[in-house]
Amino acid sequence: MILTVTLNTALDITYRVPGLRPHASHRVTEVTERPGGKGLNVARVLAALGHPVAVTGFAGGSTGATVRASLAGVPGVVDALVPVAGATRRTVAVVDERTGDTTQLNEPGPVVAPAEWNAFQEAYEGLLAGAAAVALCGSLPPGVPVGAYAGLVRTARAAGVPVLLDTSGEPLRRGVAARPDLIKPNADELAELTGSHEPLRATQAARRRGARSVVASLGAAGLLAETPEGRWRAAPPAQVRGNPTGAGDSAVAGLLSGLVEHLPWPDRLARAVALSAATVLSPVAGEFDRAVYEELLGRGVAVTAEADAA
């Protein structure tokens, strides 16, 4: 089993409009709702790849009930969310059908009480006992300590469970110091963490801060990996236009599945890039175009070894 942690779960709502214009009314052509938050997106992709997954984090209120009801219908995903008194947040994505661009609106999430945070930590320790790997994903809801991920990384390491951290800002900075097995920042998050805007130098700097391996998302340029086994770039053959929401989460699913299957790094990266690109062509996060994924995985992702930064 793979465990994904989404402390700030969400109900993802996606609107599609013919064209998005400021200060105007819009006729929505399609609406979709899905359980959301980075770790839940990761879990749905992992389940689609055939890996059993348990999801934990917080859920509360009517939106939390909707999230849990939707998860009950996802084969291969076990709901281990911890209840809270506050209401689970909503995120709204507005997709411009003319350009393919997406505008995202994210609510902050419920305030988590100290007793609720303690209950989560107890549940997390129990879930680690049956986990082959764990992913800690996304933002922190109000009330959760800024060093929360650092503590969860240390708990996973003490249990001997490989841990991937995918967050940003101060939670990432503190989490890296706890020495996770892998972090997956985007270019902006990596630059904020290290102070360097040159990706190769920045990934090396992030390893020096404590991460065993670093895989940086570089948008259309694909992924850059800095690991003890080597350095690689992985990129799709051409830029894919569509809804990028959830593409990074699919990359995390590719990396995690490759880790538990003991694939070599180039194969993990190829899978992550293929899943990410195939997700851009899907209407909602947490899903991917399987035909595109299989085509890219078979012959479309270029993975090349990278030299040291000068």
Side-chain angles (χ1 to χ4, degrees):
M1 178 199 74
I2 297 174
L3 175 64
T4 72
V5 174
T6 313
L7 295 178
N8 210 3
T9 55
L11 179 64
D12 283 350
I13 304 167
T14 303
Y15 295 128
R16 301 184 70 87
V17 298
L20 184 61
R21 303 179 309 280
H23 316 299
S25 296
H26 296 79
R27 185 175 297 278
V28 176
T29 59
E30 182 182 356
V31 181
T32 56
E33 288 187 353
R34 293 288 189 280
K38 294 177 73 64
L40 295 189
N41 294 337
V42 171
R44 290 205 303 278
V45 175
L46 284 169
L49 293 172
H51 288 275
V53 192
V55 297
T56 191
F58 297 109
S62 59
T63 48
T66 300
V67 165
R68 303 191 81 159
S70 297
L71 283 174
V74 182
V77 175
V78 174
D79 174 2
L81 294 168
V82 174
V84 290
T88 295
R89 67 188 177 128
R90 296 162 296 180
T91 67
V92 179
V94 183
V95 179
D96 185 324
E97 294 177 333
R98 176 177 53 85
T99 64
D101 293 334
T102 301
T103 299
Q104 191 85 14
L105 305 173
N106 297 327
E107 295 180 357
V111 176
V112 176
E116 293 168 335
W117 174 235
N118 290 336
F120 168 80
Q121 292 179 89
E122 291 181 10
Y124 173 71
E125 288 188 37
L127 289 165
L128 285 173
V134 57
L136 308 174
C137 302
S139 62
L140 301 178
V144 172
V146 70
Y149 281 135
L152 298 181
V153 168
R154 286 190 288 268
T155 301
R157 287 178 56 82
V161 178
V163 55
L164 182 154
L165 177 61
D166 184 15
T167 188
S168 60
E170 186 65 11
L172 174 60
R173 189 185 70 80
R174 297 196 186 195
V176 166
R179 306 187 67 81
D181 294 273
L182 174 62
I183 63 170
K184 196 213 67 64
N186 62 32
D188 291 339
E189 292 162 351
L190 186 61
E192 183 182 7
L193 173 66
T194 65
S196 174
H197 290 272
E198 200 293 307
L200 185 53
R201 289 192 179 91
T203 54
Q204 293 172 336
R207 283 201 67 209
R208 289 193 294 271
R209 281 166 169 76
R212 176 174 172 79
S213 297
V214 180
V215 177
S217 295
L218 305 179
L223 301 175
L224 173 63
E226 170 76 18
T227 81
E229 290 79 23
R231 305 172 187 87
W232 293 272
R233 288 185 188 265
Q239 183 174 356
V240 179
R241 293 193 63 84
N243 180 6
T245 306
D249 305 331
S250 291
V252 168
L255 295 169
L256 270 179
S257 62
L259 184 156
V260 300
E261 293 173 30
H262 306 290
L263 296 181
W265 270 106
D267 291 346
R268 298 186 205 182
L269 296 168
R271 178 181 291 182
V273 168
L275 282 170
S276 182
T279 297
V280 172
L281 295 175
S282 177
V284 294
E287 298 180 3
F288 60 95
D289 186 311
R290 188 170 290 274
V292 171
Y293 164 65
E294 292 176 352
E295 179 182 356
L296 287 172
L297 193 61
R299 58 182 179 84
V301 178
V303 182
T304 57
E306 189 78 12
D308 284 341

